[in-house]
Amino acid sequence: MLYIYNTLSRIKQPFKPLHEGRVGMYVCGPTVYGDAHLGHARPAITFDILFRYLQHKGYKVRYVRNITDVGHLEHDADSGEDKIAKKARLEQLEPMEVVQYYLNRYHHDMEALNVLPPSIEPHASGHIIEQIEYIKKILEAGYAYESQGSVYFDVAKYNKDHHYGKLSGRNIDDLLSTTRELDGQDEKRNPLDFALWKKAAPEHIMHWPSPWSEGFPGWHLECSTMGEKYLGEEFDIHGGGMDLMFPHHECEIAQSVAAKGHDTVHYWMHNNMITIAGKKMGKSYNNFITLEQFFKGEHPLLTRPYSPMVIRFFILQAQYRSTVDFSDAALQAADKALQKMLDGYRRLQALVPAEKSSVELPDFAAKCYEAMDDDLNTPMVIAELFDACKYINQASDGQITLSAADIDKLKALFNTFLIDLLGIRVESSAADGNNAERKAFEGAVDLLMDVRKNAKAAKDWTTSDLIRDRLAALGFDVKDTKSGVEWKIKS
């Protein structure tokens, strides 16, 4: 039984989908006005793991990940310039040109990280009509008001009938009692009220007709609208980063309850932040490192490039609800750990089975499933795989023997958990460059290994040692084992 931490109930709960065999999952995607950074990678990888595991357990999953391309304003949800419109103005481009450019780059980064594409990837700008209709329902229910061509959600009125703040745990009554009275020149009745529709200023370049004004929808509205459109009035899982819990997801709950009379989402899931020197990494803090900079090593805080699989492994070494603090040293440690894991995987493929095993293998698969069922405990899965590597290395070094059945179990273990569920690409993690170059490179080194093997067989120790020593000087680690010679590039 899969247990997941439900942010709304604040406990781990057994996962019981609304419909047998089917799961509806909605995850907040990026606002595409700049390159993706490490903070974007964490929710993408977190919910990729969930997507993979639910499918592995036999569920048919409809995974919706939205693209915010309108309504996310620069200062907060209700003020300032639209982030994409600002980028378009500065670069003298059409807003959708900006969206497409950065969306293409986001997709490229996600593919590099081996993040599976969602089932549906809707754009906020493609659902304006649906958002207008959603606003009408909230107005009809009495939880919104029109003001100078804009429409705002009435938080105080809603809070009298429901509980605004139940997701984030905030006491909205205290906030409402301590906020200042507005002087009548502001469009809002209360500072906590949030925009459902904003009247566009003359210089605003993204706007649509509505019953209230020529304008655009508020940021919070898009997820409520598109979640219902593609997953129904009630669905299983809504995910995103912890920074979205308030106000974004809190506002989503209020909108849905106001329009429908009931909660829409059964399980709220939030990944924790990636920090740098203890501070959240993000564009608003101007301390982010883009994924491309990681892949190329082009940032003052990086001593060298890191492959996408190292980034993925670094993130998965921590449980998704815990904070991950970035440093170059932490990435180097993750790189070394991943290489050890991949060395074990490669040695496993080369193992020659014995007639019977000299040891009894633990049930690694059962322990890994137990860890995954415990709220996607990926660090525990990694720990079990490292324990399995100890047996693989001992067998490769001739210290123990493993039967064909045990070797097959270990291969199934790594194929299931390392490759299928953790999503580690073995080939692309093993070396850089394209396939043809890699095969030529590996073939040349293997040829040298054959020459050295023949030299040893002929007791030509001078040639054998020369090849080993010269390769070591070039950065290769050559190791003689019972099953043959192994080599790798030193990390």
Side-chain angles (χ1 to χ4, degrees):
M1 170 69 74
L2 170 62
Y3 281 77
I4 58 177
Y5 184 87
N6 190 343
T7 309
L8 189 60
S9 62
R10 293 169 178 76
I11 58 172
K12 288 182 189 177
Q13 291 181 277
F15 177 66
K16 296 179 181 178
L18 287 164
H19 306 285
E20 186 175 354
R22 293 188 289 125
V23 175
M25 182 168 83
Y26 190 101
V27 175
C28 291
T31 303
V32 281
Y33 68 100
D35 283 329
H37 56 73
L38 196 61
H40 291 123
R42 192 168 198 197
I45 291 172
T46 294
F47 293 102
D48 180 60
I49 296 294
L50 179 60
F51 186 31
R52 288 169 181 267
Y53 193 52
L54 289 171
Q55 290 184 111
H56 180 75
K57 291 178 78 72
Y59 292 110
K60 184 177 181 180
V61 184
R62 178 174 289 175
Y63 175 17
V64 180
R65 185 182 67 202
N66 72 297
I67 297 297
T68 299
D69 58 1
V70 67
H72 197 171
L73 305 186
E74 187 180 5
H75 296 154
D76 57 37
D78 298 337
S79 65
E81 191 172 3
D82 186 288
K83 294 180 178 181
I84 290 172
K86 179 181 179 181
K87 192 80 171 182
R89 177 177 56 79
L90 293 174
E91 298 188 9
Q92 296 184 319
L93 298 171
E94 285 291 327
M96 290 303 110
E97 203 171 354
V98 171
V99 169
Q100 195 62 56
Y101 175 78
Y102 286 109
L103 182 57
N104 290 345
R105 292 173 69 84
Y106 176 78
H107 286 158
H108 180 267
D109 288 339
M110 293 303 105
E111 184 178 355
L113 291 169
N114 202 20
V115 170
L116 298 175
S119 313
I120 305 173
E121 194 172 53
H123 290 230
S125 63
H127 297 76
I128 302 298
I129 294 173
E130 291 91 341
Q131 292 180 77
I132 290 173
E133 292 303 311
Y134 211 98
I135 295 170
K136 289 179 181 178
K137 292 177 182 177
I138 298 174
L139 282 166
E140 290 170 4
Y143 294 112
Y145 57 90
E146 183 182 353
S147 177
Q148 301 178 39
S150 295
V151 180
Y152 291 95
F153 192 92
D154 193 332
V155 171
K157 185 172 183 181
Y158 174 86
N159 194 57
K160 289 179 181 178
D161 301 329
H162 305 283
H163 180 192
Y164 183 85
K166 65 181 181 180
L167 180 67
S168 59
R170 302 192 180 212
N171 190 328
I172 301 302
D173 287 326
D174 288 345
L175 290 176
L176 287 169
S177 63
T178 56
T179 51
R180 63 178 173 81
E181 288 287 331
L182 296 180
D183 60 9
Q185 297 180 6
D186 196 295
E187 294 179 352
K188 298 181 183 183
R189 295 175 182 172
N190 190 290
L192 293 181
D193 295 348
F194 57 89
L196 299 172
W197 185 266
K198 287 285 288 183
K199 181 180 180 180
E203 66 275 10
H204 198 96
I205 55 179
M206 287 195 290
H207 49 82
W208 293 263
S210 80
W212 313 287
S213 65
E214 186 80 11
F216 54 92
W219 171 40
H220 308 308
L221 187 64
E222 64 181 272
C223 292
S224 295
T225 301
M226 293 188 289
E228 178 184 332
K229 179 178 177 66
Y230 295 108
L231 299 174
E233 287 195 11
E234 292 186 62
F235 57 91
D236 298 296
I237 299 168
H238 193 317
M242 196 169 287
D243 57 327
L244 297 177
M245 191 187 308
F246 188 90
H248 186 50
H249 290 164
E250 198 75 73
C251 293
E252 278 191 58
I253 290 176
Q255 289 167 162
S256 300
V257 172
K260 303 298 173 183
H262 58 78
D263 283 296
T264 300
V265 179
H266 282 223
Y267 298 85
W268 286 90
M269 296 180 67
H270 295 87
N271 64 273
N272 213 322
M273 299 295 99
I274 291 182
T275 59
I276 178 167
K279 191 173 184 179
K280 178 196 167 186
M281 180 182 286
K283 285 188 174 72
S284 58
Y285 295 102
N286 198 31
N287 66 350
F288 64 94
I289 304 174
T290 70
L291 293 174
E292 185 177 22
Q293 288 173 322
F294 277 107
F295 302 158
K296 294 182 177 181
E298 296 175 348
H299 192 278
L301 294 177
L302 302 174
T303 57
R304 58 184 174 85
Y306 293 95
S307 76
M309 289 302 98
V310 170
I311 302 300
R312 186 177 179 103
F313 193 77
F314 168 69
I315 289 173
L316 293 178
Q317 283 183 303
Q319 207 270 350
Y320 76 91
R321 289 192 293 112
S322 64
T323 304
V324 175
D325 196 54
F326 158 80
S327 69
D328 188 71
L331 278 181
Q332 289 187 33
D335 193 0
K336 289 182 179 179
L338 178 58
Q339 294 313 313
K340 287 182 180 179
M341 180 79 73
L342 295 177
D343 287 343
Y345 179 82
R346 294 188 194 94
R347 298 183 96 181
L348 173 60
Q349 310 313 308
L351 285 183
V352 177
E355 185 176 339
K356 64 179 182 178
S357 296
S358 61
V359 295
E360 183 177 348
L361 291 179
D363 193 346
F364 291 115
K367 293 181 179 180
C368 286
Y369 279 118
E370 183 180 348
M372 289 297 291
D373 283 338
D374 184 19
D375 198 28
L376 308 180
N377 195 336
T378 56
M380 186 57 68
V381 173
I382 290 172
E384 293 297 332
L385 292 176
F386 271 121
D387 282 345
C389 281
K390 294 177 184 177
Y391 287 87
I392 294 168
N393 292 333
Q394 288 173 359
S396 181
D397 293 341
Q399 299 173 18
I400 63 172
T401 60
L402 293 175
S403 67
D406 277 344
I407 291 174
D408 286 344
K409 283 182 183 178
L410 288 169
K411 287 181 177 179
L413 174 76
F414 277 80
N415 288 336
T416 297
F417 290 96
L418 180 66
I419 297 173
D420 293 344
L421 295 180
L422 296 188
I424 299 298
R425 279 199 194 107
V426 172
E427 185 178 23
S428 62
S429 302
D432 296 323
N434 62 44
N435 287 337
E437 291 174 344
R438 184 160 56 249
K439 287 179 180 178
F441 171 79
E442 292 176 350
V445 179
D446 287 340
L447 177 62
L448 280 173
M449 294 297 102
D450 288 340
V451 172
R452 182 171 178 268
K453 179 181 178 182
N454 293 334
K456 288 181 68 178
K459 297 187 178 181
D460 182 359
W461 309 118
T462 301
T463 301
S464 171
D465 292 346
L466 176 66
I467 293 172
R468 181 197 61 203
D469 294 343
R470 291 293 296 274
L471 285 173
L474 291 170
F476 288 82
D477 186 10
V478 179
K479 185 177 182 180
D480 294 306
T481 69
K482 185 178 180 181
S483 57
V485 180
E486 296 178 355
W487 64 268
K488 65 179 181 177
I489 300 174
K490 294 177 182 178
S491 56

